[in-house]
Amino acid sequence: MKLSTKSEYAILAMIYLARQQEKGYVKISDICKHYSIPKKYLEILFTVLRHNGFIQTRRGADGGYQLAKPAEEISLAQVVRLMDGALAPTSSVSEYFYSDTPLQQEPGVLLIFREIRDFISDKLEATTLADFVIESVHNDEVE
């Protein structure tokens, strides 16, 4: 599995929104400035995230973006699958995006790739945006 910049920027933006969840709506320019994300690119990603129920928007002076559900209900796996598709290293071991591949000719190799898929999937499913809000609080306490 290799993350695209779509996934990387979407994860960063979602973590930012999770950390600001108590404060309400966030301006896209604040996120772009914080992570050096091109604004037009993030607007495109936010359209996808909004249409899939991960964020919501509000127009006006006090408008912006915020998470559409609690940070603990949004896993990294959900964001990556939305932006990049399968978490599996090959389509023939993917649970959500299965398709035949030449590797099916070697069951032993498929077994290894299934184990890799399971490890990646389990880790990303178990990690939510809330984990990074807590991490941020702990990092602030250390400084």
Side-chain angles (χ1 to χ4, degrees):
M1 179 187 90
K2 183 177 185 320
L3 293 180
S4 69
T5 54
K6 289 190 322 186
S7 279
E8 291 184 15
Y9 285 156
I11 289 168
L12 290 174
M14 298 287 283
I15 289 170
Y16 191 93
L17 292 176
R19 288 180 178 158
Q20 304 300 317
Q21 201 165 17
E22 299 297 320
K23 297 176 184 173
Y25 288 88
V26 174
K27 303 282 185 222
I28 197 168
S29 57
D30 294 341
I31 301 168
C32 292
K33 183 179 176 184
H34 187 80
Y35 288 119
S36 300
I37 302 172
K39 186 177 180 202
K40 290 285 185 196
Y41 195 52
L42 190 56
E43 287 172 346
I44 292 167
L45 299 179
F46 271 9
T47 299
V48 173
L49 290 164
R50 185 173 52 80
H51 284 133
N52 286 277
F54 289 100
I55 62 173
Q56 55 192 19
T57 62
R58 179 193 292 167
R59 294 181 186 259
D62 58 342
Y65 297 85
Q66 70 177 14
L67 297 179
K69 47 189 164 184
E72 51 275 343
E73 293 180 20
I74 302 173
S75 72
L76 291 185
Q78 292 172 307
V79 178
V80 171
R81 280 192 189 106
L82 178 63
M83 294 296 160
D84 286 344
L87 301 178
T90 180
S91 300
S92 55
V93 298
S94 177
E95 289 186 17
Y96 295 98
F97 301 94
Y98 177 86
S99 66
D100 292 333
T101 69
L103 283 177
Q104 290 174 271
Q105 299 172 71
E106 285 293 335
V109 174
L110 281 185
L111 179 62
I112 297 297
F113 283 115
R114 252 187 223 104
E115 290 174 1
I116 292 168
R117 176 211 60 206
D118 291 346
F119 177 80
I120 291 169
S121 178
D122 291 348
K123 188 68 174 174
L124 293 178
E125 289 288 355
T127 306
T128 69
L129 297 178
D131 295 320
F132 299 97
V133 173
I134 294 167
E135 179 181 298
S136 175
V137 170
H138 292 305
N139 287 341
D140 291 344
E141 290 173 356
V142 173
E143 294 178 9

